[in-house]
Amino acid sequence: MSDIEAHAKQLGRQTPMPDSPEAAQLDRVPNPHADTDYVARFTAPEFTSLCPVTGQPDFATLVIDYVPDRWLVESKSLKLYLGAFRNHGAFHEDCTVGIGRRLAGLLEPRWLRIGGYWYPRGGIPIDVFWQTGAPLPNVWLPDQGVAPYRGRG
């Protein structure tokens, strides 16, 4: 069994959408370039969760940047984890910060940030940002690329 197979339990298998973010399994795989500082980015432009008060859907673009150490997040498991929020009721802040903390706990990266760019609820856009600490001075950190709200879309 390879290192990837040992750590990516969902890769290459039919995997149903998890019922909730808590039930979702996030997999990690060994970083083949653990001796190098670089930024890996995941952008989820169609993230969806539910308002915990009204049950109505909320939509966001999530941008996750991290400088890996020994581990990379396996992208299929990340996609399933993020998809599990579709039936999950939580405020924007809880979703964004909770995702960042779960990834930081799993990956133990050198650095991680998440930007949640939410479409308006009640006429007010709510953007949420979280990071594990100061960015590393020796990595190129591009702008997250999501414009301030002006009727996004």
Side-chain angles (χ1 to χ4, degrees), residues 43-125:
T43 304
E46 298 175 347
F47 181 82
T48 307
S49 66
L50 298 177
C51 172
V53 176
T54 67
Q56 295 295 309
D58 288 320
F59 303 93
T61 295
L62 297 182
V63 182
I64 302 162
D65 294 318
Y66 73 105
V67 177
D69 193 0
R70 295 178 307 137
W71 302 105
L72 303 173
V73 67
E74 193 283 309
S75 61
K76 178 182 178 183
S77 75
L78 179 62
K79 185 187 304 184
L80 290 168
Y81 170 60
L82 295 178
F85 281 85
R86 289 183 179 163
N87 295 314
H88 178 73
F91 290 111
H92 302 334
E93 297 86 347
D94 187 28
C95 289
T96 307
V97 174
I99 291 166
R101 285 186 170 163
R102 181 147 179 208
L103 287 169
L106 173 77
L107 302 175
E108 301 171 351
R110 294 182 182 126
W111 180 80
L112 182 142
R113 77 173 174 187
I114 182 170
Y117 300 86
W118 294 84
Y119 284 77
R121 180 193 287 167
I124 300 173

Side-chain angles (χ1 to χ4, degrees), residues 116-131:
Y117 300 86
W118 294 84
Y119 284 77
R121 180 193 287 167
I124 300 173
I126 301 171
D127 294 337
V128 181
F129 309 98
W130 183 83
Q131 65 186 33

Side-chain angles (χ1 to χ4, degrees), residues 5 26 70 132:
E5 292 169 325
L26 270 170
R70 295 178 307 137
T132 58

